[in-house]
């Protein structure tokens, strides 16, 4: 079985009020609570978009379902790999912004150093097991600002298509065509934008 990822945004006034060592359990307990409606047999299956909990946790967190990933981390890993192949062939300013975004979310960067988990969220002990991504509200704002610059810079993300097709395309591989790569980036952009708007944290968990 491959690595999975579930991405949540969480109200920092709720999550951050607990001691760091207790926050992973607090968030998981809220996510797994039957009252959310997530675990009912007839719960709707969402392919791309927000899933909002019902019950006592409805104002504490929200879950984002990525488009066409079925919860696997593989598309995210391969998006980072495709970016490695593309980044030397794009404008320097765009490269810097997308480096910031992807290093903060799913990619270890050219040096292979993981920066996705900020210890300020959960600490760095065994309680943080299974945490693939953890960004404080200030960390989210940094990434959201970089995403906004990248997405708004003329002529738009479509400028990546030609270098992607030339240097990263793989018709048989994960995220092997530009449309899938752009779609995954835009899903992450929606997450960052909404979390930044609310002043919430972003967390990626693997079970």
């Amino acid at each position: 079985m491959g690595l999975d990822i579930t991405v949540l945004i969480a109200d920092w006034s709720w999550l951050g009020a607990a001691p760091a060592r207790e926050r992973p359990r607090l968030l998981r307990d809220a996510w797994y609570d039957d009252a959310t409606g997530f675990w009912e047999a007839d719960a709707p299956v969402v392919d791309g978009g927000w899933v909002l909990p019902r019950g006592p946790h409805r104002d504490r967190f929200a879950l984002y379902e990525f488009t066409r990933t079925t919860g696997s981390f593989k598309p995210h890993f391969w998006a980072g790999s495709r970016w490695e192949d593309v980044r030397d062939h794009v404008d320097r300013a765009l490269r810097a912004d997308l480096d910031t975004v992807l290093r903060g979310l799913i990619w270890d960067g050219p040096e292979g150093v993981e920066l996705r988990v900020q210890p300020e969220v959960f600490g760095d002990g065994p309680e943080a097991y299974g945490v693939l991504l953890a960004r404080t509200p200030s960390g989210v704002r940094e990434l959201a600002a970089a995403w906004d610059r990248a997405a708004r810079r003329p002529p738009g993300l479509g400028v990546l298509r030609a270098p992607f097709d030339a240097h990263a395309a793989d018709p048989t591989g994960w995220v092997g065509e530009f449309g899938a790569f752009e779609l995954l980036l835009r899903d992450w952009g929606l997450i960052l934008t909404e979390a930044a708007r609310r002043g919430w944290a972003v967390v990626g968990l693997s079970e």
Side-chain angles (χ1 to χ4, degrees):
M1 181 180 295
L3 190 66
D4 65 284
I5 185 171
T6 298
V7 174
L8 311 167
I9 62 173
D11 181 357
W12 192 245
S13 66
W14 163 68
L15 188 64
R21 293 169 62 89
E22 297 178 14
R23 293 173 194 162
R25 177 192 54 78
L26 185 67
L27 185 57
R28 281 190 167 93
D29 285 352
W31 173 30
Y32 281 127
D33 191 332
D34 288 341
T36 61
F38 292 168
W39 313 106
E40 296 176 357
D42 59 350
V45 177
V46 176
D47 183 31
W50 293 102
V51 184
L52 305 178
R54 301 196 300 264
H57 304 296
R58 63 184 176 274
D59 296 322
R60 293 174 174 171
F61 77 96
L63 182 151
Y64 191 85
E65 293 285 2
F66 288 85
T67 309
R68 300 202 302 265
T69 70
T70 63
S72 172
F73 186 73
K74 284 184 179 179
H76 306 277
F77 170 84
W78 280 105
S81 180
R82 305 300 178 201
W83 175 241
E84 286 187 11
D85 295 333
V86 170
R87 60 187 297 275
D88 287 339
H89 307 281
V90 303
D91 171 81
R92 181 179 299 177
L94 179 59
R95 179 172 67 240
D97 283 333
L98 287 181
D99 274 357
T100 296
V101 171
L102 294 174
R103 288 199 75 174
L105 297 173
I106 57 175
W107 178 52
D108 287 347
E111 304 88 6
V113 178
E114 185 269 308
L115 300 176
R116 300 185 303 274
V117 177
Q118 293 183 282
E120 297 92 333
V121 181
F122 295 130
D124 54 6
E127 293 80 6
Y129 174 79
V131 175
L132 303 180
L133 163 66
R135 306 292 302 188
T136 64
S138 61
V140 169
R141 286 193 295 271
E142 175 190 359
L143 300 188
W147 165 254
D148 190 63
R149 290 191 300 268
R152 292 177 180 271
R153 182 177 290 109
L157 293 180
V159 74
L160 298 172
R161 181 182 295 276
F164 187 98
D165 289 346
H167 302 284
D170 179 359
T172 64
W174 287 88
V175 196
E177 53 92 15
F178 177 73
F181 178 73
E182 183 183 21
L183 183 60
L184 195 65
L185 289 185
R186 291 194 180 279
D187 274 354
W188 277 113
L190 290 172
I191 292 167
L192 292 173
T193 300
E194 181 63 17
R197 183 186 72 82
R198 298 187 185 207
W200 286 14
V202 173
V203 176
L205 301 176
S206 178
E207 298 301 305

